[in-house]
């Protein structure tokens, strides 16, 4: 289901990526400062971001950490749907898709987020349909840390249904994935994913997290230690609602670099005056038994 080319010409761009310093030690919760698009500092770097529509390179989820797919369903949710409709109509579509893409035996969507705003003041606010609002991610990151204590914290915090939760301990392998797509033609602040084969382990910086429940965990934020451009970033120009990128957050099978995938939004040059992008990101856990 990989999509590495399309009808449009490749629109490679150069854009800022808000990297973090290579501290070599975890960033504490008290020291954490969120990064926003358009707010640069001395660690921000202008990076080449290649358009997969103009690329002949095949991408594989296990190897590179991401894969672009084309959705076949005609019943995709839109920005007009409420939470109940998204869970009822969209979650089953995603679970079938993930089984097809990964070859896993079980897939379970455990949450999602809609992003339809740009201003930081809109983050975390409920809209008229009872949906939590979020904004595009302003820094490169991976949603989970590979530290086993952090993964245990994530497992506790998720409160998965019992029949899914037990698979975390009984399955031979499990993975956390993200599935991201626009809700209308994408003109602003696209999502970029980084080829995990181009990222050394030293560029993954641990950020400590503590949930409202008191459970502790962590994720990765990205640095770029090499003076020369090393990370290879990709996006899809003019993504449509039936275009999706699936990417890895964590995989217990860590023999290939794609067990984790850095990703971030970026400011598309020339699109600053476009309306805020509308997108949905779902988070999925899948199992191989």
């Amino acid at each position: 289901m990989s999509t590495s080319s399309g009808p449009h010409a490749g629109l490679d761009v150069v854009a800022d990526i808000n990297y973090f310093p290579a501290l070599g030690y975890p960033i504490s919760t008290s020291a954490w400062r969120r990064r926003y698009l358009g707010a640069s500092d001395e660690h921000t770097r202008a990076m080449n971001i290649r358009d997969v529509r103009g690329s002949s390179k095949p991408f594989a989820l296990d190897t590179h950490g991401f894969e672009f797919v084309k959705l076949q369903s005609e019943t995709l949710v839109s920005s007009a749907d409420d939470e109940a409709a998204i869970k009822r109509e969209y979650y089953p579509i995603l679970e079938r898709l993930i089984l097809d893409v990964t070859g896993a035996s079980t897939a379970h969507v455990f949450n999602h987020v809609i992003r339809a705003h740009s201003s930081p003041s809109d983050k975390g606010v409920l809209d008229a349909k009872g949906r939590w609002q979020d904004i595009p991610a302003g820094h490169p990151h991976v949603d989970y840390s590979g530290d086993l204590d952090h993964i245990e914290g994530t497992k506790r915090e998720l409160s998965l249904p019992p029949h899914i939760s037990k698979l975390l301990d009984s399955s031979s392998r499990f993975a956390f994935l993200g599935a991201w797509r626009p809700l209308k033609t994408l003109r602003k602040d696209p999502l970029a994913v980084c080829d995990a084969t181009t990222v050394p382990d030293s560029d993954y910086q641990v950020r400590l997290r503590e949930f409202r429940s008191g459970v502790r965990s962590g994720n990765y934020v990205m640095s770029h230690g090499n003076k020369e451009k090393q990370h290879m970033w990709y996006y899809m120009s003019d993504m449509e609602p039936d275009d999706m990128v699936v990417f890895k957050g964590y995989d217990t099978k860590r023999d290939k670099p794609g067990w984790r995938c850095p990703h971030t939004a970026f400011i598309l040059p020339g699109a600053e005056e476009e309306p805020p992008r509308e997108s949905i990101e779902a988070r999925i856990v899948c199992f191989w038994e």
Side-chain angles (χ1 to χ4, degrees):
M1 302 188 69
S2 177
T3 301
S4 59
S5 62
H8 307 287
L11 297 174
D12 297 353
V13 299
V14 176
D16 284 347
I17 300 291
N18 282 333
Y19 286 108
F20 287 80
L23 297 175
Y25 56 84
I27 302 171
S28 67
T29 54
S30 61
W32 170 249
R33 298 293 182 270
R34 185 182 175 95
R35 303 290 300 278
Y36 296 102
L37 292 181
S40 302
D41 67 9
E42 67 270 26
H43 304 292
T44 300
R45 294 189 64 165
M47 299 295 291
N48 300 321
I49 306 179
R50 297 166 175 84
D51 184 1
V52 299
R53 292 197 187 277
S55 173
S56 60
K57 179 178 179 178
F59 301 103
L61 190 63
D62 285 344
T63 301
H64 304 98
F66 66 89
E67 189 169 334
F68 284 86
V69 300
K70 178 69 74 172
L71 296 172
Q72 304 300 320
S73 175
E74 297 180 356
T75 57
L76 299 176
V77 296
S78 72
S79 57
D81 290 301
D82 60 21
E83 293 286 275
I86 291 172
K87 293 177 180 179
R88 182 181 64 252
E89 304 292 339
Y90 191 45
Y91 280 22
I93 293 172
L94 289 181
E95 289 169 357
R96 291 192 295 269
L97 172 77
I98 293 303
L99 293 180
D100 189 19
V101 170
T102 65
S105 51
T106 302
H108 175 76
V109 181
F110 56 86
N111 70 28
H112 68 273
V113 61
I114 297 233
R115 295 183 176 92
H117 297 277
S118 297
S119 172
S121 63
D122 292 314
K123 179 178 172 59
V125 177
L126 283 175
D127 70 5
K129 294 183 179 294
R131 304 175 306 193
W132 292 104
Q133 298 301 292
D134 210 337
I135 60 176
H139 62 273
H141 65 283
V142 179
D143 293 342
Y144 312 90
S145 156
D147 181 279
L148 294 183
D149 286 339
H150 294 166
I151 293 298
E152 287 301 315
T154 295
K155 289 158 62 174
R156 291 196 302 273
E157 178 62 21
L158 289 179
S159 299
L160 297 169
H163 72 287
I164 296 295
S165 183
K166 70 179 183 180
L167 294 176
L168 291 168
D169 297 316
S170 64
S171 297
S172 62
R173 174 189 175 192
F174 71 85
F176 293 119
L177 308 177
W180 188 97
R181 71 177 181 89
L183 295 173
K184 62 181 182 181
T185 303
L186 187 61
R187 306 293 189 197
K188 184 178 183 179
D189 300 339
L191 184 73
V193 286
C194 192
D195 180 348
T197 67
T198 69
V199 184
D201 289 346
S202 57
D203 283 345
Y204 292 89
Q205 310 299 320
V206 174
R207 169 204 167 192
L208 301 179
R209 303 183 68 183
E210 184 170 346
F211 298 104
R212 295 177 182 177
S213 63
V215 172
R216 296 182 179 183
S217 184
N219 73 318
Y220 293 121
V221 296
M222 306 308 299
S223 62
H224 193 300
N226 197 321
K227 292 182 179 180
E228 302 297 324
K229 292 181 181 180
Q230 181 175 10
H231 300 172
M232 294 186 68
W233 289 93
Y234 294 89
Y235 83 114
M236 179 182 281
S237 61
D238 297 326
M239 279 185 86
E240 297 291 346
D242 61 349
D243 291 318
M244 173 178 284
V245 59
V246 178
F247 54 89
K248 289 273 190 74
Y250 171 79
D251 194 332
T252 56
K253 190 173 186 293
R254 294 166 57 163
D255 60 334
K256 293 184 178 180
W259 70 269
R260 53 187 175 180
C261 179
H263 55 282
T264 182
F266 69 95
I267 295 178
L268 187 65
E272 292 83 357
E273 300 305 316
E274 293 283 344
R277 65 131 143 114
E278 296 179 12
S279 63
I280 183 168
E281 179 183 347
R283 299 180 180 102
I284 305 122
V285 60
C286 57
F287 304 89
W288 291 258
E289 298 180 57

